[in-house]
Amino acid sequence: MLKVAVVDGQGGGIGSVIVKRLRDEFDDAVEIIALGTNSSATTSMLRAKANRGATGENAIVLNSNRVDVITGPLSIVIANSMMGELTPKMAQGIAESKAKKILLHLNQEGIEVVGGAREPLPHQVDCLIEKVKNLIGGQTHV
C-alpha cells in the first residue's frame, strides 16, 4: 500500500483539500498520513479522513523517511515559510527524504517558479491525483 504524507501548516486548509481528494479517489488503497506544523493543521487533515496524523518538527522529519510520497504546497521545502511555522529542519527533512515529492505550485514566500502554470487549487490537486495514480500504476515518470 502506498503511503502518502500530506504536510501543511497554519489552518491546514490546503492539506485538507488534498486529503479529501486522495480519500475520494483511492479510498483505502493509500495510507494517508497528515503531518501538520501545528495541531490545528493536523486536526483539519484528520477530519478530512487521513488515516493518522502527527504534529511538529520531529514528527515531520521522522515520518518524511517513512512514506513513499510527500505532498503539500511548495512552501514545505522552504525554510521559515508559512510565517515561520515551517522550520529549517522540517524543510531539510522533507527535501532530503527519498520519498517522491509532489508539490503544489502555491506559495506566498516571494518565490516564483518559472515554467509551471499557476492554476487554481482544485486544478492543481487534480494534477496531483493523476501523478499519484501513475505511481500506483507502477509508472515512475511523475
Side-chain angles (χ1 to χ4, degrees):
M1 176 184 297
L2 192 72
K3 288 184 179 181
V4 179
V6 181
V7 181
D8 199 7
Q10 299 183 309
I14 295 170
S16 296
V17 169
I18 295 170
V19 169
K20 182 174 182 339
R21 285 292 323 258
L22 286 168
R23 184 60 64 216
D24 288 348
E25 189 70 31
F26 302 108
D27 198 21
D28 291 329
V30 297
E31 180 177 359
I32 304 169
I33 301 170
L35 298 174
T37 60
N38 64 61
S39 60
S40 177
T42 304
T43 299
S44 180
M45 291 187 282
L46 284 168
R47 286 186 182 138
K49 302 199 187 254
N51 295 88
R52 297 182 290 148
T55 301
E57 183 176 87
N58 193 58
I60 290 173
V61 171
L62 180 73
N63 287 292
S64 289
N65 285 311
R66 294 181 171 179
V67 296
D68 303 301
V69 176
I70 299 172
T71 188
L74 176 64
S75 56
I76 65 172
V77 292
I78 301 171
N80 299 314
S81 63
M82 299 182 182
M83 298 180 69
E85 284 188 21
L86 204 297
T87 69
K89 282 187 179 177
M90 290 176 184
Q92 182 179 11
I94 293 166
E96 291 181 352
S97 166
K98 291 184 179 179
K100 183 80 174 175
K101 276 72 102 184
I102 304 174
L103 306 178
L104 301 179
H105 185 213
L106 301 168
N107 78 72
Q108 300 170 342
E109 310 304 326
I111 296 172
E112 185 171 338
V113 178
V114 176
R118 189 160 184 141
E119 298 281 340
L121 179 61
H123 295 165
Q124 289 191 41
V125 174
D126 288 345
C127 291
L128 182 151
I129 295 297
E130 288 302 314
K131 291 187 182 295
V132 173
K133 276 184 189 175
N134 289 341
L135 286 174
I136 290 175
Q139 298 177 12
T140 57
H141 300 305
V142 292

